[in-house]
């Protein structure tokens, strides 16, 4: 009922009711199965991102084969350790199938979450005027930003979602917005 050596017994009875028993020791050997184990540098990230997988599988007979499978893609590998670049958003199961010296296998599955980067976008109201000019900026970014960093092009910054900025001098300014969403992914415009 587990790993070990098992005897086999055979009882033979003829039509006269005579019987004989033969017991063979250590005829059946059941091996201890391997244990698949690995660590990933990340289990969640913003595309594109790299994940390194390090094998920690074990077996009393030694691990002799590895197969890495990234479901939902064509990626995979046959080396002990594995690296993969996730370049599209989604949840991907990563399977490690190990084979030990006796031909026994074990599989470990884990999920990697690849998040799409948000798209930063905004519009401004009152973008023409004489200095000093107050300009209202409205964030219309995709996703659900949790932080904002505005660069107003004149040295001024803000971390409000919808700031008002006063331009003190005449000129044409390039405004930038960087957002971070709930997954820690960054979008910029």
């Amino acid at each position: 009922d587990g790993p070990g050596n098992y005897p086999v017994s055979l009882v033979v009875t003829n039509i006269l009711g005579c019987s004989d028993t033969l017991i063979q020791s250590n005829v059946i050997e059941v091996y201890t199965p391997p244990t698949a184990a690995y660590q990933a540098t990340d289990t969640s990230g913003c595309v594109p991102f790299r994940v390194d997988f390090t094998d920690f599988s074990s077996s009393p007979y030694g691990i002799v084969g590895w197969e890495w499978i990234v479901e939902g893609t064509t990626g995979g590998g046959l080396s002990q350790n594995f690296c993969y670049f996730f370049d599209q958003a989604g949840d991907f199961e990563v399977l490690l199938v190990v084979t030990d010296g006796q031909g026994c296998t074990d599989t470990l599955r884990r999920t990697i979450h690849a998040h799409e980067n948000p798209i930063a976008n905004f519009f401004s109201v009152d973008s023409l005027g004489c200095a000093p000019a107050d300009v209202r900026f409205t964030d219309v970014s995709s996703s659900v930003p949790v932080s904002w960093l505005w660069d107003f092009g004149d040295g001024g910054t803000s971390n409000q979602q919808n700031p008002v900025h006063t331009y003190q001098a005449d000129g044409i300014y390039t405004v930038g917005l960087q957002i971070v969403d709930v997954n820690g992914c960054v979008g910029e415009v």
Side-chain angles (χ1 to χ4, degrees), residues 67-181:
E67 182 179 8
W68 297 91
I69 302 165
V70 182
E71 290 191 338
T73 72
T74 58
L78 299 174
S79 60
Q80 181 177 4
N81 299 310
F82 180 62
C83 146
Y84 192 80
F85 285 91
F86 291 88
D87 59 0
Q88 51 186 297
D91 291 336
F92 300 92
E93 266 198 334
V94 177
L95 287 74
L96 170 60
V97 181
V98 294
T99 304
D100 69 11
Q102 298 297 339
C104 299
T105 62
D106 190 30
T107 302
L108 177 62
R109 299 171 186 264
R110 291 206 178 128
T111 302
I112 302 295
H113 308 283
H115 305 288
E116 191 68 55
N117 287 306
I119 298 171
N121 199 3
F122 67 91
F123 68 87
S124 60
V125 178
D126 306 320
S127 58
L128 295 175
C130 298
D134 289 338
V135 180
R136 290 173 183 78
F137 295 93
T138 302
D139 169 45
V140 290
S141 301
S142 71
S143 187
V144 180
V146 294
S147 72
W148 301 261
L149 178 59
W150 294 87
D151 177 351
F152 298 115
D154 65 350
T157 62
S158 175
N159 55 11
Q160 295 178 343
Q161 181 176 7
N162 300 306
V164 175
H165 181 69
T166 303
Y167 287 92
Q168 299 297 332
D170 291 341
I172 297 174
Y173 300 96
T174 300
V175 177
L177 170 61
Q178 181 184 79
I179 59 170
V180 179
D181 72 8

Side-chain angles (χ1 to χ4, degrees), residues 57-68:
S57 302
S58 62
S59 169
Y61 315 106
I63 302 295
V64 297
W66 299 265
E67 182 179 8
W68 297 91

Side-chain angles (χ1 to χ4, degrees), residues 16-42:
L16 300 174
C18 299
S19 65
D20 190 19
T21 301
L22 174 64
I23 298 175
Q24 295 278 333
S25 299
N26 299 325
V27 172
I28 306 266
E29 184 175 357
V30 177
Y31 302 115
T32 301
T35 302
Y38 69 82
Q39 257 187 339
T41 52
D42 288 305

Side-chain angles (χ1 to χ4, degrees), residues 12-19:
V12 179
T13 305
N14 64 18
I15 58 172
L16 300 174
C18 299
S19 65

